[in-house]
Amino acid sequence: MKNFNKTLIAVSVALASTQTMAAGFQLNSQSATGIGRAFAGDAVIADNASVLSRNPAAMALFDEKQLSMGLTYADVQVEVQDVFVNSNLGEIHYGSVDDAAEAKVIPNFYYVSPVNDKFAYGVAMFSNFGTGTDTTDLSNNMAMGVLPAPIDLLGKTEVTTINFNLSASYRINDNLSVGAGLDVIYGSGVLTRGGAMPSAQGPQHLDLVDVDADGIAFGGIVGAVYEINADHRFGVSYRFSPEFTADGTVMSSFVDYEEINIPIPDIFQVAGFHQLTDTFALHYTAQMTTWGDFHEITLDPGQVPLKKYAWDDSWLFSVGGTYTLNNNWTLRAGYMFDQGVVGEVSSISIPDSDRQWYTMGATYNLSKHTSLDFGIAFVRGEETQLTEQSAILGLVGQQMPGLGDDLGTVHATTTSNATYYSIQYNYKF
């Protein structure tokens, strides 16, 4: 047990690094109005400046300057239950983590300024991707005093991105408007992997991975709005995301690298808005995120391949309604089906599944120029039975063949839910 093959440990380090930094967790938290209606129609409604996060062409619908800024508190609940492996001695269990996620406070800022009846520009700050999980509580749980936990799969993960956007729109005619924008994306990530390993002197802590990296990348967005009339319109947008390069401390296979290259998926969406009566509007969105492009992570110098993936493109579909109660209050609600991204490759560190969103919100007009938005979303994931390969336990199985041939296959049950609380301030100049 104490003479580990360095090549196999290096494989485990590579697995741990990529499974965490590559986790598919897309944020839908860009505005309180959007949260309140499950982001249904958000690429074309344009009831405040936060539409800039979804479609720059919708700025053509504004006839006065507008400012929107807010905060979203994402209370994420991730449970990792009954982590175990099969052996010739029966199931070997390592325990559970009831609260493996970290809550996030996510800010946003938007400003839209019409120049004339043709041109408008806007600036924005928001986030499209981010996550935080911690399963280190399991990493020191040695079974029978000699069998380590799958420490190459367990640890702390935190990934944050901030999108700074500058956009412009142009009204071609009474029906058609177009827009485009530049995204400057700042991202940072912290990753640790390690835990107790057996030795002749007793359990010893082994650090497999220690990553602290950040960087800046550039992307863009294009969009269009088509207005049948003032009560019926459609929007479409496509966000081009870059391959993100992060600099800092990046260790894999006991070799220090300077950079890690992580592809970020593109986002395509279509939306519709229909004012059916004086007080009620119906709206909807279909959005596709190209997680299928997320096929490999590499390290520099040398463009060293780290891991290949088999993830799927994912869709979300949402529908919502807005009801104008009176001059002071506007009410909204929505439902979203949010498809999971994990295909053949699953991960204990960031569980994923299809999710159902149930949302509601309201706007209160403080004055002719100011208003407050409130939104709440209840996000419910599915209980998922997953398996993941641990190189550490696979190595132990080779050195202790009496335990069986399948010791490296780790089983777990995961559930991920969230509740979003959001507030937003709007001002019309």
Side-chain angles (χ1 to χ4, degrees):
M1 288 294 293
K2 58 185 179 180
N3 297 317
F4 283 96
N5 182 296
K6 279 194 173 184
T7 301
L8 289 175
I9 292 183
V11 171
S12 74
V13 173
L15 286 170
S17 300
T18 56
Q19 284 161 351
T20 327
M21 296 298 291
F25 195 90
Q26 183 175 354
L27 292 175
N28 282 299
S29 59
Q30 291 80 19
S31 70
T33 41
I35 286 176
R37 57 183 171 238
F39 295 95
D42 253 37
V44 74
I45 293 181
D47 46 2
N48 58 61
S50 66
V51 72
L52 194 52
S53 68
R54 300 280 171 160
N55 188 358
M59 291 189 297
L61 301 173
F62 289 73
D63 55 12
E64 56 189 347
K65 299 177 183 179
Q66 291 202 29
L67 169 73
S68 295
M69 54 185 178
L71 292 172
T72 297
Y73 178 76
D75 182 14
V76 183
Q77 305 95 35
V78 174
E79 296 181 358
V80 181
Q81 299 293 325
D82 196 20
V83 178
F84 72 94
V85 295
N86 289 311
S87 76
N88 291 341
L89 303 176
E91 293 181 355
I92 299 175
H93 294 260
Y94 291 98
S96 304
V97 179
D98 293 330
D99 187 9
E102 296 183 1
K104 298 283 186 182
V105 177
I106 308 164
N108 58 71
F109 175 89
Y110 308 95
Y111 175 74
V112 172
S113 178
V115 177
N116 51 41
D117 59 357
K118 291 289 187 181
F119 289 97
Y121 72 90
V123 294
M125 184 276 292
F126 54 94
S127 180
N128 280 324
F129 301 96
T131 187
T133 60
D134 193 346
T135 55
T136 53
D137 286 351
L138 302 180
S139 61
N140 293 317
N141 294 348
M142 295 181 60
M144 302 179 294
V146 295
L147 192 62
I151 62 174
D152 50 333
L153 309 181
L154 305 172
K156 182 175 182 178
T157 304
E158 183 153 4
V159 178
T160 302
T161 66
I162 302 175
N163 194 325
F164 300 93
N165 173 269
L166 173 63
S167 293
S169 67
Y170 178 73
R171 176 173 289 280
I172 296 175
N173 54 42
D174 290 341
N175 302 109
L176 182 63
S177 302
V178 295
L182 172 68
D183 290 328
V184 181
I185 305 166
Y186 170 79
S188 64
V190 173
L191 168 64
T192 61
R193 288 292 181 271
M197 293 292 290
S199 72
Q201 294 76 35
Q204 300 289 322
H205 184 84
L206 176 65
D207 289 320
L208 290 178
V209 178
D210 186 4
V211 173
D212 189 350
D214 63 2
I216 294 175
F218 297 90
I221 184 171
V222 295
V225 167
Y226 184 80
E227 300 170 72
I228 297 175
N229 53 45
D231 294 331
H232 302 278
R233 53 186 181 267
F234 302 93
V236 60
S237 68
Y238 195 98
R239 171 160 264 119
F240 302 89
S241 298
E243 178 173 285
F244 192 87
T245 298
D247 305 315
T249 303
V250 181
M251 183 270 286
S252 175
S253 303
F254 302 103
V255 176
D256 290 332
Y257 291 88
E258 296 177 1
E259 298 176 343
I260 184 169
N261 304 309
I262 307 167
I264 302 175
D266 296 348
I267 303 171
F268 167 75
Q269 62 185 306
V270 294
F273 172 83
H274 307 282
Q275 189 72 45
L276 301 181
T277 70
D278 290 341
T279 58
F280 179 74
L282 175 70
H283 28 88
Y284 45 85
T285 286
Q287 176 180 295
M288 189 267 285
T289 306
T290 63
W291 284 111
D293 293 341
F294 191 82
H295 52 83
E296 185 179 47
I297 285 182
T298 59
L299 300 176
D300 279 332
Q303 284 288 306
V304 178
L306 201 56
K307 186 175 173 63
K308 295 185 182 294
Y309 286 85
W311 286 11
D312 299 326
D313 293 343
S314 65
W315 283 90
L316 67 79
F317 304 94
S318 64
V319 61
T322 299
Y323 179 72
T324 303
L325 183 63
N326 51 45
N327 290 334
N328 292 327
W329 286 98
T330 300
L331 309 179
R332 57 183 63 89
Y335 166 79
M336 178 196 297
F337 172 76
D338 188 9
Q339 188 178 37
V341 305
V342 174
E344 299 174 9
V345 179
S346 56
S347 175
I348 293 174
S349 60
I350 302 182
D352 193 38
S353 70
D354 294 345
R355 290 172 290 272
Q356 315 284 332
W357 288 58
Y358 308 94
T359 75
M360 65 184 74
T363 296
Y364 179 70
N365 295 315
L366 297 169
S367 69
K368 179 180 178 181
H369 296 283
T370 60
S371 62
L372 289 176
D373 294 325
F374 308 92
I376 186 170
F378 303 95
V379 185
R380 296 297 176 258
E382 300 176 350
E383 185 176 273
T384 302
Q385 311 290 329
L386 61 82
T387 60
E388 191 171 7
Q389 296 301 313
S390 167
I392 287 288
L393 290 182
L395 173 60
V396 173
Q398 292 180 21
Q399 296 189 345
M400 302 177 68
L403 290 177
D405 298 330
D406 195 33
L407 198 66
T409 302
V410 180
H411 304 262
T413 301
T414 63
T415 307
S416 55
N417 299 316
T419 305
Y420 289 77
Y421 307 90
S422 189
I423 186 171
Q424 180 174 302
Y425 171 81
N426 308 297
Y427 185 81
K428 298 179 181 179
F429 292 86

